[in-house]
């Protein structure tokens, strides 16, 4: 029988997946040392500091106080949802989302 992964372990693994991808894209990345912080990662590129929240595929998450929501699926795929086009230009691929209400988000554009 396969053991289920603890949520803290899964979260740390997903953050590492995101950090490696951001480094590959040319970002300088800092991880939050606090276990329960508002921001998981700070990334810097072209003089711009970006706040990133990393989540698993479970549930629907909005951007809230962060600039980027990085969603890591159960099969290891990583998708970025960003607050605006300025931030989207820093990424190889991302989706710009606009909050309609705290419970709903809608895709308004895609950068390929």
């Amino acid at each position: 029988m396969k053991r289920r992964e603890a949520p803290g372990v899964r979260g740390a693994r997903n953050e590492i997946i995101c950090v490696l991808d951001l480094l590959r894209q040319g970002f300088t990345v800092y991880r939050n040392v606090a276990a329960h912080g508002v921001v998981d990662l700070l990334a810097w590129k072209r003089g711009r500091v970006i706040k990133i929240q990393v989540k698993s595929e479970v549930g629907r998450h909005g951007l809230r106080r962060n600039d980027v929501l990085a969603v890591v699926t159960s099969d290891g795929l990583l998708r970025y949802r960003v607050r605006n086009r300025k931030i989207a230009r820093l990424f190889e691929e991302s989706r710009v989302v606009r909050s309609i209400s705290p419970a709903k988000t809608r895709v308004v554009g895609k950068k390929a």
Side-chain angles (χ1 to χ4, degrees), residues 34-70:
H36 301 286
V38 174
V39 176
D40 289 330
L41 305 171
L42 286 176
W44 182 78
K45 186 175 184 181
R46 294 187 211 146
R48 188 162 182 104
V49 177
I50 301 167
K51 299 179 288 185
I52 301 173
Q53 181 69 35
V54 180
K55 292 289 184 185
S56 65
E57 193 173 30
V58 180
R60 252 188 113 132
H61 307 282
L63 291 170
R64 295 191 184 133
R65 292 180 268 183
N66 297 295
D67 300 314
V68 176
L69 178 66

Side-chain angles (χ1 to χ4, degrees), residues 3-29:
R3 280 186 144 167
R4 189 166 178 172
E5 189 175 45
V9 173
R10 181 177 55 217
R13 179 178 45 84
N14 289 345
E15 284 181 21
I16 295 297
I17 289 170
C18 186
V19 166
L20 292 173
D21 186 62
L22 291 168
L23 290 171
R24 182 188 60 76
Q25 291 186 53
F27 285 89
T28 301
V29 185

